[in-house]
């Protein structure tokens, strides 16, 4: 897990977001064990309480579960639940803000599609 911390939000939230992204991109599957608090703390020189706080947020969101004596695991249905939450966040918060900016900058749909096609060509 490659992590670069920034000053925009607390580290425990950044760590939680890294785990969420790993679930979304498939590098952590349902039923997989999360790295132990001790390992994450040592590897990234974090206070174990910080790591525990991030993991507790995952438990509260029902995206991870504690198994006594075994550790933390990604719950069944976590990816689908997370996708649903992320889609809702995008459609209700991020997209309206983005749409307002597009309108304010007077960017046409043709401009957007042409730019997207050009970038896709550059990556091929």
């Amino acid at each position: 897990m490659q992590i670069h911390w920034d000053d925009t939000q607390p580290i425990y939230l950044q760590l939680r977001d890294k785990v969420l992204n790993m679930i979304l991109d498939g590098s952590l599957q349902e039923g997989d064990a999360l790295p132990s608090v001790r390992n994450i703390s040592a590897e990234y020189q974090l206070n174990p309480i910080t790591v525990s706080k991030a993991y507790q947020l995952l438990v509260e969101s029902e995206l991870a579960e504690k198994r006594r004596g075994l550790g933390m695991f990604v719950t069944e249905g976590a990816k689908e639940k997370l996708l649903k939450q992320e889609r809702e966040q995008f459609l209700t918060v991020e997209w309206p803000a983005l749409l307002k900016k597009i309108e304010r900058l007077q960017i046409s749909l043709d401009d957007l599609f042409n730019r997207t096609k050009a970038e896709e060509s550059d990556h091929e």
Side-chain angles (χ1 to χ4, degrees), residues 100-108:
K100 283 181 184 177
K101 187 169 186 174
I102 289 169
E103 290 170 351
R104 189 172 47 251
L105 297 175
Q106 300 175 358
I107 300 172
S108 71

Side-chain angles (χ1 to χ4, degrees), residues 1 15-35 40 55 58 63-64 72-75 78-79 82:
M1 184 184 324
L15 181 57
R16 179 211 51 198
D17 291 347
K18 297 292 183 190
V19 174
L20 295 178
N21 287 331
M22 291 173 70
I23 293 170
L24 284 173
D25 71 19
S27 55
L28 271 177
Q29 301 283 321
E30 296 173 358
D32 284 353
L34 298 178
I40 294 293
Y55 280 9
L58 295 169
L63 299 171
M72 287 278 209
F73 292 81
V74 178
T75 59
K79 184 173 183 175
L82 188 54

Side-chain angles (χ1 to χ4, degrees), residues 39-109:
N39 287 347
I40 294 293
S41 298
E43 188 172 345
Y44 299 105
Q45 299 176 347
L46 297 174
N47 186 315
I49 294 170
T50 299
V51 179
S52 293
K53 194 170 183 178
Y55 280 9
Q56 185 58 39
L57 291 175
L58 295 169
V59 170
E60 290 170 4
S61 300
E62 299 178 351
L63 299 171
E65 62 185 355
K66 295 178 189 176
R67 295 184 189 163
R68 189 177 188 114
L70 299 175
M72 287 278 209
F73 292 81
V74 178
T75 59
E76 292 297 318
K79 184 173 183 175
E80 191 56 42
K81 181 176 184 173
L82 188 54
L83 279 170
K84 184 177 178 183
Q85 291 171 352
E86 291 290 313
R87 287 177 184 142
E88 185 64 22
Q89 169 74 15
F90 178 78
L91 292 173
T92 60
V93 177
E94 296 170 31
W95 178 246
L98 187 57
L99 188 56
K100 283 181 184 177
K101 187 169 186 174
I102 289 169
E103 290 170 351
R104 189 172 47 251
L105 297 175
Q106 300 175 358
I107 300 172
S108 71
L109 286 177

